[in-house]
Amino acid sequence: MNAVEYYSAAFPVHCNNVQDILAAIKISISTQFSFYDSLILSAAKAENCAIVYSEDLNDGQEVDGIKIVNPFKNY
């Protein structure tokens, strides 16, 4: 619990809303990503992120203006 309190004070926390969920559904349909992976991208877009780091998604793919980067690609 202390870690959650620490990091939530140190970094902005995004709370998903209905618009995020609807956007995630659209992303999921268009990319065939799971709903939860799509929700991460939807939340990232809502927070104006340019990059999402993920080893599970398609490295180099751009979805709705967000670039996916695999941080372990060269290992």
Side-chain angles (χ1 to χ4, degrees):
M1 187 156 154
N2 290 339
V4 172
E5 290 171 338
Y6 172 80
Y7 286 109
S8 66
F11 299 100
V13 176
H14 179 79
C15 294
N16 291 318
N17 58 38
V18 172
Q19 298 309 105
D20 298 322
I21 293 168
L22 294 172
I25 292 168
K26 288 180 184 177
I27 291 170
S28 180
I29 290 169
S30 68
T31 62
Q32 298 298 302
F33 290 163
S34 75
F35 170 76
Y36 295 105
D37 287 340
S38 299
L39 189 58
I40 291 168
L41 292 170
S42 172
K45 182 167 177 79
E47 292 295 331
N48 297 313
C49 296
I51 298 172
V52 167
Y53 294 95
S54 172
E55 64 181 307
D56 296 325
L57 299 176
N58 302 328
D59 182 61
Q61 184 174 358
E62 191 168 310
V63 176
D64 212 10
I66 300 168
K67 186 170 184 172
I68 298 167
V69 174
N70 180 348
F72 304 111
K73 181 179 180 180
N74 294 325
Y75 291 99

